[in-house]
Amino acid sequence: MESINKISMLHPQISIIRISILFLTAFQFHSCTIDNPVENFPEQYKGTQAQVIFEKDSAFENNLFEEINEHLISINQPPLTINPEANQVAFEHTKHLIETNSLHHQNFSERQNYFYSLGFTAMRENVAMGYDNSYDLIQAWLQSLNHQQAIESNSTHTGISVLKNESGVYFITQIYLK
């Protein structure tokens, strides 16, 4: 142990590299789900003043939509239909995730109330970052009970947004409505 400490003291960059690798490995892939608001969220997004740079990935969105529907059909649930309003709301939320460079469900109650005003009776939401393809993302979501329950919630409609930030990190929001 003493020799490791001597190496770390003589070569501090080794420790920094090790810590950086550990941090990047631990936080490379994240996802989160919510089906009920757990706190009072502010009424408005509190975005930064800086311009957010992102790139929309329509192919990823289409693959996610198709693969989620394939999964639903495989478990005898009807496929989802794209809802244009849900796509727009998912897009706005994903932009906010990029602005804050984090995963969260801030303003979930506002999104939920908006869809209730359109006649939907339930809303769930999955978010993720760091996944660069729909297959890996869906596999991760299906391994998480909360994410799986959102996917398999007998919803009828969905909205999907996949955006890549200027560093190449993907941020994803999928909304499930019934």
Side-chain angles (χ1 to χ4, degrees):
M1 183 70 168
E2 187 175 314
S3 63
I4 292 174
N5 287 335
K6 285 181 184 177
I7 292 172
S8 294
M9 291 175 70
L10 293 174
H11 303 286
Q13 67 272 26
I14 293 173
S15 293
I16 292 170
I17 291 169
R18 286 181 182 163
I19 291 169
S20 297
I21 290 171
L22 177 64
F23 179 79
L24 290 173
T25 302
F27 296 103
Q28 184 176 10
F29 301 109
H30 303 284
S31 61
C32 188
T33 186
I34 190 166
D35 58 351
N36 291 314
V38 294
E39 61 185 358
N40 292 325
F41 295 106
E43 289 186 21
Q44 300 290 328
Y45 283 119
K46 294 182 179 179
T48 62
Q49 296 300 319
Q51 182 177 357
V52 178
I53 299 172
F54 61 86
E55 178 183 332
K56 182 177 174 69
D57 192 330
S58 297
F60 191 145
E61 290 175 356
N62 292 335
N63 290 338
L64 181 58
F65 175 68
E66 289 173 12
E67 291 175 27
I68 288 287
N69 276 340
E70 287 173 12
H71 172 73
L72 292 172
I73 291 167
S74 77
I75 60 167
N76 296 317
Q77 284 193 16
L80 298 167
T81 301
I82 292 288
N83 176 277
E85 291 85 5
N87 269 353
Q88 184 61 39
V89 170
F91 174 78
E92 293 299 328
H93 185 63
T94 307
K95 271 189 2 186
H96 189 63
L97 297 176
I98 290 174
E99 284 178 345
T100 60
N101 196 35
S102 66
L103 289 182
H104 57 76
H105 296 282
Q106 185 178 12
N107 301 317
F108 178 83
S109 59
E110 283 82 4
R111 290 189 296 283
Q112 186 178 48
N113 289 336
Y114 170 71
F115 289 114
Y116 287 173
S117 76
L118 297 178
F120 291 100
T121 59
M123 175 191 165
R124 291 186 176 218
E125 175 179 275
N126 282 347
V127 297
M129 67 182 277
Y131 293 89
D132 62 3
N133 68 79
S134 56
Y135 179 80
D136 290 342
L137 173 61
I138 292 169
Q139 293 309 306
W141 277 348
L142 292 175
Q143 296 300 312
S144 162
L145 182 59
N146 287 336
H147 293 95
Q148 180 184 11
Q149 287 174 340
I151 292 168
E152 298 174 357
S153 61
N154 290 311
S155 295
T156 57
H157 293 81
T158 191
I160 299 171
S161 176
V162 177
L163 303 176
K164 183 169 50 170
N165 72 7
E166 63 186 343
S167 300
V169 177
Y170 283 89
F171 290 77
I172 302 104
T173 302
Q174 183 167 16
I175 294 172
Y176 309 88
L177 301 167
K178 62 177 169 183

